[in-house]
Amino acid sequence: MIFTPEPYQEVLREFLLQHDRAYTNVGLGLGKTASTLDALNTLFMDGAIRSALVVAPLRVARMTWPNEIKKWDTFRWMKVEILQGQPPSGKAQIYLINYERIPQLTSLAFCDVVVFDEITKAKNPSSLRIKAIRPLLKHHRRWGLTGTPRPNSLLELFAQVRLLDDGVRLGRAFSGFRDAYFVPTDYMRYNWVPKAGAEDRVYAKLADFTITLRSSDYLNLPDTILEDVEVALPPKARKAYDTLERDFLIILRKEVIAENAAVLAGKLHQIAGGNIYNADGEAEVLHDAKLTALKGIIKGEPVLVACQYVHERERVCKAFPQAVNAATFKGDIEQAWNSGKIPMLVADPRSLGHGLNLQQGGRTVIWYSPTWSRELYDQFNARVARKGQTTQPLLYRIIATDTIDEAIIATLRERGDAQHEMSRVMSNYLTLHP
């Protein structure tokens, strides 16, 4: 299939080609990966570059970029190499590495372009990983990609921008940037707020190398801010997960997508969420990591929470007295939500994913446990991210790192026949566990 860019993708491609340093804010659904590959393809065809390094979160590096290259005949000629401890071979066009492996790099002489996908991962100015790569960046084109139209805090912009421009726009020292644009709110100088007009002044400094493409401008949908909240499994849950995973991987490596593999996948999914059904059919609690993360997300606004299992919904409702279980609610749930009577609605996306217009009652969707159905995912999010929504929708996904959650999230980037969703999750799982 030949890649034919949409008009907004052409805009992004041309912007990248015209800017050696670029900070791109591209809304959900606008295809920033394909647009970036299109720009790289042009540079390859012109003989302007030899290879490019893409730095991305693990699942994005191992799945999204290789899958996008395979998807299009236009890009399929590019050889891909995932760096997992070995030095680059010098034989690939696209090298991929996740942020955690950055310190293994000792030189970037092998590439001419460095793409920082999901560059918000580089928001910490004290990050040792980012400090490790900055001295290696020399002549390189540097492009930062993000699907978040704006950061949670203006302070988070500094490290991202410095990674791209070496401090040209916002300065080389974080303390200098902070003192120039912010004031402390406490005598210990722990908390800072922007000075009057600081936001406009900061964005003005970035205007020459920044492009923002909003979903609402092209897809007739409101812009949505997406944030993945990652949690680690505690030791007990990690041990239980790893034990079950060994059996799961044995089945997958035999290339048998059998019923027992699907059962194991479901159990892994449950452990990632914090519970699992024991031999007696009772839900056994393994950890509170996702509940703790959920508490950190809720900020007083109404929230719509998606859970895949009955025991998850019951547990969330028990932990949050204000929560309402959609499965047991009596009455007009749409009217109750939109009139502000439900501060927290906990639901199975299969039962609440269609038909309801909930955009008047809130803007926040939280995936406590992800679904592997792209259709359900889109439909559930569309309960609030739809025409008539007057504020910017917020979408959070709570992900247990190094678990099947990551393979499921990767699968949501693909569009495919629902019949093959589980098979694609399992295929993606193998990719994460070569």
Side-chain angles (χ1 to χ4, degrees):
M1 184 165 52
I2 302 299
F3 177 68
T4 303
E6 298 290 342
Y8 47 83
Q9 293 178 310
E10 292 180 346
V11 170
L12 178 56
R13 178 195 63 202
E14 292 307 309
F15 186 86
L16 292 174
L17 291 174
Q18 294 168 17
H19 292 78
D20 287 351
R21 312 291 175 86
Y23 187 86
T24 71
N25 297 282
V26 182
L28 296 176
L30 296 184
K32 68 179 186 294
T33 304
S35 301
T36 304
L37 282 169
D38 201 21
L40 291 172
N41 191 55
T42 299
L43 294 174
F44 282 129
M45 294 298 101
D46 290 345
I49 62 172
R50 299 162 297 154
S51 65
L53 173 69
V54 177
V55 184
L58 178 63
R59 62 182 174 276
V60 177
R62 289 193 178 179
M63 298 180 188
T64 303
W65 284 82
N67 289 345
E68 199 71 22
I69 290 170
K70 292 175 186 175
K71 178 179 178 181
W72 304 103
D73 294 338
T74 310
F75 311 137
R76 205 170 292 157
W77 69 273
M78 300 179 189
K79 182 177 179 181
V80 176
E81 187 172 315
I82 298 176
L83 301 179
Q84 302 181 86
Q86 82 284 7
S89 67
K91 299 178 180 179
Q93 282 73 45
I94 305 293
Y95 294 90
L96 297 163
I97 192 169
N98 55 293
Y99 280 93
E100 291 76 13
R101 287 189 177 272
I102 284 177
Q104 82 180 41
L105 297 170
T106 58
S107 171
L108 295 179
F110 64 91
C111 66
D112 302 301
V113 182
V114 180
V115 179
F116 294 97
D117 197 1
E118 306 296 349
I119 195 173
T120 52
K121 290 287 186 181
K123 65 186 179 183
N124 182 359
S126 301
S127 168
L128 296 178
R129 294 194 293 265
I130 301 307
K131 287 182 177 180
I133 198 173
R134 283 183 57 216
L136 306 181
L137 293 162
K138 306 293 184 183
H139 64 283
H140 305 85
R141 293 174 185 256
R142 305 178 210 172
W143 298 338
L145 313 179
T146 177
T148 305
R150 60 181 296 161
N152 293 324
S153 167
L154 203 61
L155 285 166
E156 294 178 357
L157 274 175
F158 173 80
Q160 301 173 55
V161 172
R162 184 179 62 177
L163 185 59
L164 299 175
D165 74 354
D166 296 320
V168 170
R169 291 166 179 81
L170 299 181
R172 298 180 63 86
F174 177 68
S175 59
F177 167 73
R178 185 188 59 193
D179 292 341
Y181 297 99
F182 300 81
V183 292
T185 60
D186 60 301
Y187 77 97
M188 294 295 291
R189 297 167 66 88
Y190 289 142
N191 301 300
W192 297 72
V193 296
K195 295 178 180 178
E199 185 171 357
D200 290 339
R201 289 190 291 132
V202 168
Y203 286 129
K205 283 188 172 288
L206 307 184
D208 68 302
F209 89 141
T210 300
I211 183 172
T212 298
L213 300 176
R214 300 184 182 279
S215 304
S216 56
D217 292 338
Y218 300 99
L219 303 181
N220 196 30
L221 293 173
D223 289 320
T224 298
I225 293 179
L226 169 64
E227 181 175 341
D228 285 341
V229 180
E230 298 181 344
V231 300
L233 295 185
K236 178 184 175 182
R238 183 81 259 172
K239 183 178 180 180
Y241 187 94
D242 290 346
T243 299
L244 192 61
E245 181 186 64
R246 282 193 289 270
D247 295 334
F248 184 57
L249 288 172
I250 288 172
I251 295 174
L252 294 190
R253 286 169 181 151
K254 290 181 178 178
E255 299 184 358
V256 179
I257 307 302
E259 183 178 351
N260 54 345
V263 170
L264 288 176
K267 289 183 178 298
L268 291 173
H269 198 198
Q270 291 177 57
I271 294 175
N275 292 56
I276 191 169
Y277 288 115
N278 60 26
D280 297 324
E282 300 171 343
E284 178 182 345
V285 175
L286 294 176
H287 66 84
D288 295 330
K290 288 200 174 187
L291 278 179
T292 300
L294 183 58
K295 291 176 183 177
I297 294 172
I298 296 173
K299 299 179 174 64
E301 294 186 25
V303 295
L304 179 59
V305 182
C307 298
Q308 305 305 311
Y309 302 98
V310 172
H311 57 66
E312 289 181 344
R313 296 192 292 278
E314 292 176 345
R315 194 168 176 215
V316 169
C317 289
K318 182 178 180 181
F320 297 87
Q322 75 273 31
V324 171
N325 191 335
T328 59
F329 182 82
K330 305 297 182 182
D332 187 335
I333 200 167
E334 181 176 306
Q335 191 278 332
W337 167 268
N338 284 330
S339 62
K341 296 177 181 177
I342 302 178
M344 185 176 187
L345 183 59
V346 184
D348 181 339
R350 290 169 295 186
S351 62
L352 205 70
H354 298 79
L356 295 179
N357 296 305
L358 305 178
Q359 68 270 32
Q360 296 177 15
R363 61 168 181 164
T364 304
V365 172
I366 303 172
W367 286 88
Y368 184 88
S369 53
T371 175
W372 34 56
S373 168
R374 176 61 186 260
E375 191 269 341
L376 273 180
Y377 178 74
D378 288 342
Q379 288 291 341
F380 194 81
N381 295 338
R383 295 314 94 213
V384 300
R386 61 194 300 115
K387 187 175 180 179
Q389 176 60 257
T390 58
T391 55
Q392 192 164 38
L394 304 176
L395 174 59
Y396 296 91
R397 304 184 300 198
I398 305 176
I399 302 168
T401 55
D402 196 23
T403 72
I404 198 169
D405 278 2
E406 296 186 327
I408 294 171
I409 292 297
T411 305
L412 293 177
R413 293 174 176 266
E414 309 165 20
R415 291 189 180 274
D417 192 315
Q419 179 181 355
H420 302 294
E421 284 163 353
M422 176 64 80
S423 296
R424 295 198 334 272
V425 168
M426 294 180 182
S427 176
N428 285 337
Y429 200 91
L430 280 175
T431 304
L432 283 171
H433 299 79

